[in-house]
Amino acid sequence: MTMTRRGILKGLAAAPFTAAAGTLLFPATAEAASINAQQFSLTSRSANSYGEFADLTTGLAAKLPKVDATTVIADTNRSATHLTSAPSTVEAFSTGFAWDPADQAVDYWIPQGVTTSADAYGNGLYPEGGSSRVVLVSWYFETDPDGDGRNQYDLDKGLRLTFVDYTTSTKPTYRHVLLVEPVKTGTGEYSFNPIRKHAGGIMWYGNLLYVVDTYKGLRVFDLNTLFKVATAEVDICGLHTDGSYYGYGYQYVLPQIRAYDNAGTYLRYTAIGLDRTSSPDSLVVSEYSKSGNVDYTDGTFNGTGPGTTTPKVVRWNLDYTDRRIASLTASEAVTVAQEKIQGVVSCNSKHYLAASAGPSAKGSLRTFNSGASTATTICDLAIGCEDLSFHSSSASGWAYSESVIWNVSEYTGKRYVYAVHADGS
Protein backbone atom coordinates (compact mmCIF):
# COMPACT_ATOMS: atom_id res chain seq x y z
CA MET A 1 0.00 0.00 0.00
CA THR A 2 1.34 3.46 -0.88
CA MET A 3 1.50 5.75 2.11
CA THR A 4 0.86 9.48 1.96
CA ARG A 5 3.56 11.85 3.15
CA ARG A 6 1.58 12.51 6.32
CA GLY A 7 1.13 8.78 6.88
CA ILE A 8 4.87 8.30 6.60
CA LEU A 9 5.48 11.11 9.06
CA LYS A 10 3.04 9.57 11.53
CA GLY A 11 4.92 6.30 11.30
CA LEU A 12 8.25 8.02 11.77
CA ALA A 13 6.92 9.91 14.78
CA ALA A 14 6.33 6.63 16.56
CA ALA A 15 9.73 5.14 15.71
CA PRO A 16 13.38 5.97 16.38
CA PHE A 17 15.20 7.85 13.63
CA THR A 18 18.06 6.37 11.66
CA ALA A 19 21.06 8.46 10.70
CA ALA A 20 22.83 8.10 7.36
CA ALA A 21 25.54 6.04 9.00
CA GLY A 22 22.95 3.63 10.37
CA THR A 23 23.03 4.70 14.01
CA LEU A 24 19.74 5.23 15.79
CA LEU A 25 18.86 8.77 16.77
CA PHE A 26 16.21 8.83 19.47
CA PRO A 27 14.21 12.00 20.17
CA ALA A 28 15.70 14.05 23.00
CA THR A 29 13.94 13.74 26.34
CA ALA A 30 13.48 15.99 29.33
CA GLU A 31 12.49 14.96 32.83
CA ALA A 32 9.14 16.13 34.21
CA ALA A 33 7.52 15.96 37.65
CA SER A 34 4.51 17.34 39.54
CA ILE A 35 5.22 19.73 42.45
CA ASN A 36 3.17 21.58 45.06
CA ALA A 37 0.98 24.15 43.24
CA GLN A 38 0.02 26.00 46.45
CA GLN A 39 3.38 27.79 46.51
CA PHE A 40 2.44 29.77 43.38
CA SER A 41 -0.04 32.60 43.86
CA LEU A 42 -1.06 36.00 42.52
CA THR A 43 -2.64 39.18 43.82
CA SER A 44 -5.17 41.06 41.72
CA ARG A 45 -4.52 44.77 41.24
CA SER A 46 -6.97 47.28 39.74
CA ALA A 47 -4.79 50.39 40.15
CA ASN A 48 -1.31 51.81 39.74
CA SER A 49 0.36 54.67 41.58
CA TYR A 50 -1.71 57.19 39.58
CA GLY A 51 -5.10 55.76 40.57
CA GLU A 52 -7.62 53.13 39.56
CA PHE A 53 -7.15 51.91 36.01
CA ALA A 54 -10.90 52.36 35.42
CA ASP A 55 -10.76 56.01 36.47
CA LEU A 56 -7.69 56.67 34.36
CA THR A 57 -9.24 55.17 31.22
CA THR A 58 -12.47 57.06 31.88
CA GLY A 59 -10.41 60.24 32.03
CA LEU A 60 -8.76 59.40 28.71
CA ALA A 61 -12.16 58.62 27.17
CA ALA A 62 -13.19 62.21 27.88
CA LYS A 63 -10.23 63.41 25.81
CA LEU A 64 -9.94 60.83 23.02
CA PRO A 65 -12.17 58.83 20.65
CA LYS A 66 -12.75 55.41 22.21
CA VAL A 67 -12.97 52.38 19.87
CA ASP A 68 -12.96 48.61 20.21
CA ALA A 69 -10.96 45.88 18.49
CA THR A 70 -13.53 45.49 15.71
CA THR A 71 -12.68 49.04 14.61
CA VAL A 72 -8.98 48.20 14.40
CA ILE A 73 -9.62 44.94 12.55
CA ALA A 74 -11.71 46.87 10.00
CA ASP A 75 -8.94 49.47 9.64
CA THR A 76 -5.88 47.37 8.76
CA ASN A 77 -3.19 49.17 6.76
CA ARG A 78 -0.53 46.57 5.90
CA SER A 79 -0.58 43.37 3.86
CA ALA A 80 0.96 40.07 4.89
CA THR A 81 2.00 37.27 2.52
CA HIS A 82 0.05 34.02 2.68
CA LEU A 83 2.28 30.97 3.00
CA THR A 84 1.45 28.18 0.57
CA SER A 85 4.11 25.82 1.92
CA ALA A 86 6.09 25.26 5.09
CA PRO A 87 8.54 28.07 5.85
CA SER A 88 12.08 27.57 7.07
CA THR A 89 12.54 24.31 9.01
CA VAL A 90 8.84 23.89 9.90
CA GLU A 91 7.32 20.40 9.77
CA ALA A 92 3.64 19.39 9.96
CA PHE A 93 2.68 22.74 8.40
CA SER A 94 -0.98 23.73 8.17
CA THR A 95 -1.29 27.46 7.41
CA GLY A 96 0.40 30.79 8.03
CA PHE A 97 1.75 34.08 6.75
CA ALA A 98 4.85 36.28 6.62
CA TRP A 99 5.03 39.99 7.45
CA ASP A 100 5.52 42.69 4.84
CA PRO A 101 9.13 43.51 3.84
CA ALA A 102 9.44 46.39 6.34
CA ASP A 103 8.39 44.23 9.30
CA GLN A 104 10.59 41.37 8.12
CA ALA A 105 13.60 43.67 8.11
CA VAL A 106 13.08 45.97 11.10
CA ASP A 107 15.64 45.09 13.76
CA TYR A 108 14.30 47.07 16.72
CA TRP A 109 10.78 45.56 16.82
CA ILE A 110 10.92 41.83 17.61
CA PRO A 111 7.82 39.54 17.50
CA GLN A 112 7.25 37.31 20.53
CA GLY A 113 3.69 36.36 21.53
CA VAL A 114 0.81 34.86 19.55
CA THR A 115 -2.86 34.16 20.24
CA THR A 116 -5.96 33.94 18.04
CA SER A 117 -9.70 34.44 18.10
CA ALA A 118 -9.92 30.67 18.59
CA ASP A 119 -8.61 31.45 22.08
CA ALA A 120 -10.98 34.39 22.50
CA TYR A 121 -14.16 32.45 21.74
CA GLY A 122 -14.81 28.74 21.34
CA ASN A 123 -16.10 28.99 17.76
CA GLY A 124 -12.97 30.87 16.70
CA LEU A 125 -14.76 34.03 15.54
CA TYR A 126 -14.51 37.60 16.80
CA PRO A 127 -16.37 39.40 18.26
CA GLU A 128 -18.83 37.10 19.99
CA GLY A 129 -21.52 36.52 17.38
CA GLY A 130 -19.26 38.06 14.72
CA SER A 131 -17.44 36.65 11.72
CA SER A 132 -13.77 37.73 11.81
CA ARG A 133 -10.87 35.31 12.12
CA VAL A 134 -8.07 37.14 13.86
CA VAL A 135 -4.47 36.52 14.92
CA LEU A 136 -2.75 38.74 17.51
CA VAL A 137 1.03 39.05 17.82
CA SER A 138 3.06 41.01 20.41
CA TRP A 139 6.39 42.72 19.70
CA TYR A 140 8.94 44.35 22.01
CA PHE A 141 11.33 47.19 21.21
CA GLU A 142 15.03 46.28 21.37
CA THR A 143 17.42 49.23 21.77
CA ASP A 144 20.47 46.99 21.24
CA PRO A 145 19.46 44.58 18.46
CA ASP A 146 23.00 43.53 17.57
CA GLY A 147 23.78 42.68 21.21
CA ASP A 148 27.07 44.53 21.39
CA GLY A 149 26.18 46.21 24.69
CA ARG A 150 25.72 49.64 23.12
CA ASN A 151 22.28 50.97 22.23
CA GLN A 152 21.74 51.57 18.53
CA TYR A 153 18.42 53.20 19.44
CA ASP A 154 18.07 55.58 22.37
CA LEU A 155 14.27 55.61 22.70
CA ASP A 156 12.65 52.40 23.92
CA LYS A 157 9.11 52.44 22.51
CA GLY A 158 7.93 49.54 24.64
CA LEU A 159 5.40 47.06 23.29
CA ARG A 160 3.13 46.87 20.29
CA LEU A 161 0.33 44.50 19.40
CA THR A 162 -0.57 43.46 15.86
CA PHE A 163 -4.15 42.75 14.83
CA VAL A 164 -4.12 40.42 11.80
CA ASP A 165 -7.35 40.00 9.87
CA TYR A 166 -7.07 36.36 8.73
CA THR A 167 -10.70 36.04 7.65
CA THR A 168 -9.51 35.65 4.06
CA SER A 169 -6.41 33.57 4.72
CA THR A 170 -4.99 34.08 1.22
CA LYS A 171 -4.98 37.85 1.72
CA PRO A 172 -4.20 38.62 5.38
CA THR A 173 -3.96 42.27 6.40
CA TYR A 174 -2.86 43.83 9.66
CA ARG A 175 -2.29 46.92 11.81
CA HIS A 176 0.03 47.61 14.75
CA VAL A 177 -1.21 49.34 17.92
CA LEU A 178 0.79 50.51 20.93
CA LEU A 179 0.31 48.95 24.37
CA VAL A 180 0.30 51.61 27.08
CA GLU A 181 -0.26 52.13 30.79
CA PRO A 182 -2.65 54.96 31.74
CA VAL A 183 -1.12 57.60 34.04
CA LYS A 184 -1.42 61.25 35.03
CA THR A 185 1.07 63.99 34.25
CA GLY A 186 2.72 66.08 36.94
CA THR A 187 -0.06 68.64 36.50
CA GLY A 188 -2.81 66.05 36.88
CA GLU A 189 -3.72 65.63 33.20
CA TYR A 190 -4.70 62.17 31.97
CA SER A 191 -2.02 60.54 29.84
CA PHE A 192 -0.32 57.21 29.18
CA ASN A 193 3.20 55.78 29.11
CA PRO A 194 4.83 53.07 26.99
CA ILE A 195 5.22 49.66 28.65
CA ARG A 196 8.89 48.75 28.45
CA LYS A 197 8.72 44.99 28.95
CA HIS A 198 9.35 41.83 26.92
CA ALA A 199 5.81 40.53 26.18
CA GLY A 200 7.12 37.02 25.57
CA GLY A 201 3.62 35.53 25.58
CA ILE A 202 0.02 36.65 25.15
CA MET A 203 -3.40 35.04 25.63
CA TRP A 204 -6.77 36.26 24.33
CA TYR A 205 -9.82 35.25 26.35
CA GLY A 206 -13.16 36.89 25.58
CA ASN A 207 -12.53 40.63 25.51
CA LEU A 208 -9.39 40.38 27.66
CA LEU A 209 -5.78 40.15 26.55
CA TYR A 210 -3.27 38.72 29.05
CA VAL A 211 0.39 39.69 28.60
CA VAL A 212 3.23 38.17 30.62
CA ASP A 213 5.48 40.52 32.58
CA THR A 214 8.68 38.50 33.09
CA TYR A 215 9.53 39.49 36.67
CA LYS A 216 6.15 40.68 37.92
CA GLY A 217 3.25 38.52 36.73
CA LEU A 218 0.48 39.33 34.23
CA ARG A 219 -0.86 42.52 32.68
CA VAL A 220 -4.43 42.64 31.36
CA PHE A 221 -5.92 44.74 28.58
CA ASP A 222 -9.54 45.18 27.48
CA LEU A 223 -10.02 44.90 23.72
CA ASN A 224 -13.25 46.83 24.07
CA THR A 225 -11.23 49.89 25.12
CA LEU A 226 -8.72 51.38 22.70
CA PHE A 227 -8.12 55.04 21.88
CA LYS A 228 -7.49 56.74 18.57
CA VAL A 229 -4.63 59.21 18.75
CA ALA A 230 -2.72 61.64 16.52
CA THR A 231 0.10 60.20 14.40
CA ALA A 232 2.36 63.10 13.40
CA GLU A 233 4.88 62.67 16.23
CA VAL A 234 6.66 59.30 15.98
CA ASP A 235 8.85 59.83 19.05
CA ILE A 236 6.15 61.03 21.47
CA CYS A 237 3.93 58.84 23.66
CA GLY A 238 1.05 60.29 25.68
CA LEU A 239 -0.05 63.90 26.10
CA HIS A 240 2.28 66.29 24.27
CA THR A 241 2.91 69.98 24.83
CA ASP A 242 0.82 70.75 21.75
CA GLY A 243 -2.25 69.36 23.53
CA SER A 244 -2.50 66.26 21.35
CA TYR A 245 -2.02 62.63 22.34
CA TYR A 246 0.43 60.44 20.44
CA GLY A 247 1.43 56.78 20.42
CA TYR A 248 4.81 56.86 18.68
CA GLY A 249 3.10 57.34 15.33
CA TYR A 250 0.57 54.53 15.75
CA GLN A 251 -3.10 55.33 15.14
CA TYR A 252 -4.40 53.40 18.16
CA VAL A 253 -3.26 52.73 21.72
CA LEU A 254 -4.49 49.94 24.01
CA PRO A 255 -4.34 50.80 27.74
CA GLN A 256 -3.81 48.35 30.59
CA ILE A 257 -6.86 47.78 32.83
CA ARG A 258 -5.64 45.28 35.47
CA ALA A 259 -2.61 43.42 36.78
CA TYR A 260 -2.00 40.09 38.49
CA ASP A 261 1.20 40.38 40.50
CA ASN A 262 3.19 37.35 41.54
CA ALA A 263 2.80 36.84 45.30
CA GLY A 264 4.18 33.37 45.99
CA THR A 265 7.37 31.57 45.09
CA TYR A 266 9.32 33.30 42.33
CA LEU A 267 8.13 32.46 38.83
CA ARG A 268 9.58 33.67 35.56
CA TYR A 269 6.55 34.65 33.45
CA THR A 270 7.98 33.81 30.04
CA ALA A 271 5.01 32.51 28.04
CA ILE A 272 1.29 31.93 28.50
CA GLY A 273 -1.34 29.70 26.93
CA LEU A 274 -5.08 29.04 27.23
CA ASP A 275 -6.51 25.60 27.98
CA ARG A 276 -10.16 25.22 26.93
CA THR A 277 -10.13 21.46 27.54
CA SER A 278 -9.71 21.76 31.31
CA SER A 279 -12.68 22.23 33.63
CA PRO A 280 -12.88 25.11 34.25
CA ASP A 281 -10.92 26.82 31.49
CA SER A 282 -7.42 27.67 32.65
CA LEU A 283 -4.21 29.42 31.72
CA VAL A 284 -0.70 28.04 31.95
CA VAL A 285 2.60 29.91 32.31
CA SER A 286 6.03 28.53 31.42
CA GLU A 287 9.59 29.55 32.30
CA TYR A 288 12.61 30.17 30.08
CA SER A 289 16.11 29.04 31.03
CA LYS A 290 19.33 29.15 29.04
CA SER A 291 20.71 25.82 30.21
CA GLY A 292 18.00 24.12 32.26
CA ASN A 293 18.21 26.31 35.39
CA VAL A 294 15.92 29.34 35.66
CA ASP A 295 17.72 32.58 36.53
CA TYR A 296 16.08 34.65 39.27
CA THR A 297 19.02 37.06 39.66
CA ASP A 298 18.74 39.07 36.42
CA GLY A 299 15.87 41.31 37.57
CA THR A 300 13.67 42.31 40.49
CA PHE A 301 11.11 39.55 40.96
CA ASN A 302 7.80 39.87 42.78
CA GLY A 303 7.20 37.12 45.30
CA THR A 304 8.49 35.43 48.42
CA GLY A 305 11.74 34.05 47.06
CA PRO A 306 13.13 31.37 44.76
CA GLY A 307 12.13 27.72 44.87
CA THR A 308 13.41 25.09 42.50
CA THR A 309 15.22 26.51 39.49
CA THR A 310 14.02 23.69 37.24
CA PRO A 311 11.72 25.23 34.57
CA LYS A 312 8.05 24.95 35.42
CA VAL A 313 4.58 24.98 33.88
CA VAL A 314 2.05 26.49 36.32
CA ARG A 315 -1.74 26.58 35.87
CA TRP A 316 -4.44 28.95 37.14
CA ASN A 317 -8.18 28.41 36.73
CA LEU A 318 -10.25 31.02 34.88
CA ASP A 319 -13.78 32.34 35.39
CA TYR A 320 -15.68 32.13 32.13
CA THR A 321 -18.27 34.70 33.23
CA ASP A 322 -15.89 37.66 33.56
CA ARG A 323 -12.79 36.17 31.85
CA ARG A 324 -10.66 36.81 34.92
CA ILE A 325 -8.58 34.45 37.02
CA ALA A 326 -10.96 32.47 39.23
CA SER A 327 -8.56 31.55 42.02
CA LEU A 328 -5.36 33.41 42.77
CA THR A 329 -3.69 30.20 43.91
CA ALA A 330 -2.35 27.92 41.20
CA SER A 331 -4.19 24.66 40.59
CA GLU A 332 -1.29 22.70 39.08
CA ALA A 333 2.49 22.97 38.83
CA VAL A 334 4.94 20.68 37.05
CA THR A 335 8.67 20.89 36.47
CA VAL A 336 10.22 19.96 33.16
CA ALA A 337 13.97 19.76 32.67
CA GLN A 338 13.89 21.52 29.31
CA GLU A 339 16.06 24.47 28.42
CA LYS A 340 15.00 27.44 26.25
CA ILE A 341 11.22 27.07 26.60
CA GLN A 342 9.71 29.92 24.58
CA GLY A 343 6.04 28.92 24.45
CA VAL A 344 3.47 26.75 26.20
CA VAL A 345 -0.08 25.50 25.70
CA SER A 346 -1.90 22.70 27.48
CA CYS A 347 -4.78 20.36 26.78
CA ASN A 348 -5.79 19.22 30.24
CA SER A 349 -2.89 17.03 31.39
CA LYS A 350 -0.98 17.22 28.09
CA HIS A 351 1.48 20.10 27.76
CA TYR A 352 3.13 21.43 24.60
CA LEU A 353 6.37 23.43 24.63
CA ALA A 354 8.20 25.47 22.01
CA ALA A 355 11.95 25.02 22.53
CA SER A 356 14.36 27.28 20.67
CA ALA A 357 17.96 26.66 19.70
CA GLY A 358 19.42 30.05 18.79
CA PRO A 359 19.55 32.18 15.63
CA SER A 360 20.73 29.48 13.23
CA ALA A 361 19.18 26.20 14.44
CA LYS A 362 15.61 24.95 14.14
CA GLY A 363 13.25 24.98 17.08
CA SER A 364 11.05 22.12 18.18
CA LEU A 365 7.54 21.43 19.42
CA ARG A 366 7.72 19.12 22.43
CA THR A 367 5.12 17.48 24.63
CA PHE A 368 4.75 15.73 27.96
CA ASN A 369 1.93 14.67 30.27
CA SER A 370 1.47 15.70 33.89
CA GLY A 371 3.06 13.02 36.03
CA ALA A 372 5.11 11.65 33.13
CA SER A 373 8.86 11.39 33.39
CA THR A 374 9.89 12.77 30.00
CA ALA A 375 9.05 15.24 27.24
CA THR A 376 9.52 14.24 23.60
CA THR A 377 9.68 16.04 20.26
CA ILE A 378 6.60 16.20 18.02
CA CYS A 379 8.00 18.16 15.07
CA ASP A 380 10.47 20.83 14.05
CA LEU A 381 9.53 24.49 14.28
CA ALA A 382 11.06 27.58 12.69
CA ILE A 383 14.41 29.04 13.67
CA GLY A 384 13.71 31.47 16.50
CA CYS A 385 10.41 29.88 17.54
CA GLU A 386 8.54 31.76 20.27
CA ASP A 387 5.04 31.65 21.79
CA LEU A 388 2.34 29.00 21.15
CA SER A 389 -1.45 29.04 20.83
CA PHE A 390 -3.67 25.96 20.60
CA HIS A 391 -6.45 26.03 17.97
CA SER A 392 -8.97 23.21 18.36
CA SER A 393 -10.57 21.56 15.34
CA SER A 394 -13.86 22.03 17.23
CA ALA A 395 -13.71 25.81 16.61
CA SER A 396 -16.72 25.59 14.31
CA GLY A 397 -16.44 29.08 12.83
CA TRP A 398 -12.74 28.74 12.07
CA ALA A 399 -12.22 25.02 11.86
CA TYR A 400 -9.30 23.03 10.54
CA SER A 401 -9.61 19.32 9.78
CA GLU A 402 -7.58 18.64 12.90
CA SER A 403 -6.30 20.67 15.83
CA VAL A 404 -3.32 22.93 15.15
CA ILE A 405 -0.84 24.92 17.21
CA TRP A 406 0.18 28.44 16.19
CA ASN A 407 3.75 29.68 16.56
CA VAL A 408 5.66 32.87 15.77
CA SER A 409 9.35 33.19 14.89
CA GLU A 410 11.43 36.24 15.78
CA TYR A 411 14.56 36.74 13.66
CA THR A 412 14.76 39.32 10.87
CA GLY A 413 14.14 37.83 7.44
CA LYS A 414 12.81 34.64 9.06
CA ARG A 415 9.64 35.96 10.68
CA TYR A 416 6.62 33.73 10.22
CA VAL A 417 3.29 33.24 11.96
CA TYR A 418 2.09 29.74 11.24
CA ALA A 419 0.18 26.73 12.51
CA VAL A 420 1.37 23.12 12.67
CA HIS A 421 -0.67 19.94 13.14
CA ALA A 422 -0.84 19.30 16.86
CA ASP A 423 -0.03 15.62 16.41
CA GLY A 424 3.03 16.42 14.31
CA SER A 425 1.70 14.67 11.22
Side-chain angles (χ1 to χ4, degrees), residues 227-292:
F227 295 110
K228 189 174 184 179
V229 296
T231 59
E233 296 287 348
V234 298
D235 290 333
I236 301 296
C237 180
L239 180 62
H240 192 33
T241 53
D242 65 2
S244 295
Y245 289 84
Y246 298 97
Y248 291 136
Y250 294 107
Q251 183 77 80
Y252 301 98
V253 298
L254 175 58
Q256 182 178 340
I257 58 98
R258 180 169 290 274
Y260 289 98
D261 298 326
N262 193 69
T265 301
Y266 286 175
L267 188 67
R268 192 178 190 92
Y269 289 77
T270 300
I272 187 172
L274 174 67
D275 186 354
R276 284 186 170 275
T277 66
S278 63
S279 183
D281 294 347
S282 58
L283 65 82
V284 289
V285 169
S286 65
E287 294 186 294
Y288 175 86
S289 67
K290 288 185 178 179
S291 58

Side-chain angles (χ1 to χ4, degrees), residues 30-247:
E31 295 181 357
S34 296
I35 60 174
N36 177 22
Q38 300 293 309
Q39 65 185 298
F40 302 104
S41 62
L42 296 160
T43 56
S44 179
R45 177 164 54 87
S46 63
N48 60 18
S49 61
Y50 299 93
E52 291 288 322
F53 287 122
D55 294 338
L56 296 170
T57 53
T58 297
L60 288 170
K63 302 286 187 178
L64 293 166
K66 179 186 170 188
V67 302
D68 61 17
T70 59
T71 299
V72 178
I73 294 162
D75 191 27
T76 54
N77 62 344
R78 302 190 185 201
S79 296
T81 300
H82 175 62
L83 297 174
T84 58
S85 60
S88 181
T89 56
V90 174
E91 296 178 326
F93 175 75
S94 175
T95 188
F97 61 89
W99 306 107
D100 73 8
D103 285 324
Q104 279 286 358
V106 65
D107 62 349
Y108 47 80
W109 282 115
I110 302 177
Q112 293 288 288
V114 65
T115 185
T116 78
S117 51
D119 281 334
Y121 295 103
N123 67 357
L125 300 178
Y126 185 82
E128 189 171 21
S131 59
S132 294
R133 303 179 180 99
V134 184
V135 178
L136 301 182
V137 173
S138 63
W139 308 60
Y140 76 95
F141 195 97
E142 176 56 75
T143 57
D144 179 23
D146 66 6
D148 67 354
R150 295 176 296 176
N151 288 344
Q152 287 80 59
Y153 305 98
D154 294 328
L155 179 60
D156 183 348
K157 296 184 177 181
L159 305 177
R160 73 181 185 184
L161 181 72
T162 307
F163 288 80
V164 184
D165 185 352
Y166 207 63
T167 306
T168 303
S169 61
T170 56
K171 296 181 178 180
T173 59
Y174 63 97
R175 178 182 280 276
H176 304 305
V177 309
L178 191 71
L179 295 180
V180 298
E181 182 170 355
V183 298
K184 286 184 179 180
T185 67
T187 58
E189 296 286 343
Y190 293 101
S191 187
F192 47 80
N193 289 337
I195 299 173
R196 296 183 171 115
K197 299 293 181 178
H198 191 71
I202 58 177
M203 184 196 80
W204 190 1
Y205 190 50
N207 63 306
L208 299 185
L209 177 73
Y210 288 76
V211 179
V212 292
D213 185 333
T214 307
Y215 309 117
K216 305 298 185 183
L218 304 171
R219 293 174 182 251
V220 185
F221 303 78
D222 183 357
L223 295 186
N224 290 333
T225 305
L226 294 95
F227 295 110
K228 189 174 184 179
V229 296
T231 59
E233 296 287 348
V234 298
D235 290 333
I236 301 296
C237 180
L239 180 62
H240 192 33
T241 53
D242 65 2
S244 295
Y245 289 84
Y246 298 97

Side-chain angles (χ1 to χ4, degrees), residues 365-381:
L365 179 65
R366 315 202 70 208
T367 188
F368 70 98
N369 292 320
S370 297
S373 60
T374 59
T376 56
T377 299
I378 295 177
C379 66
D380 292 337
L381 297 177

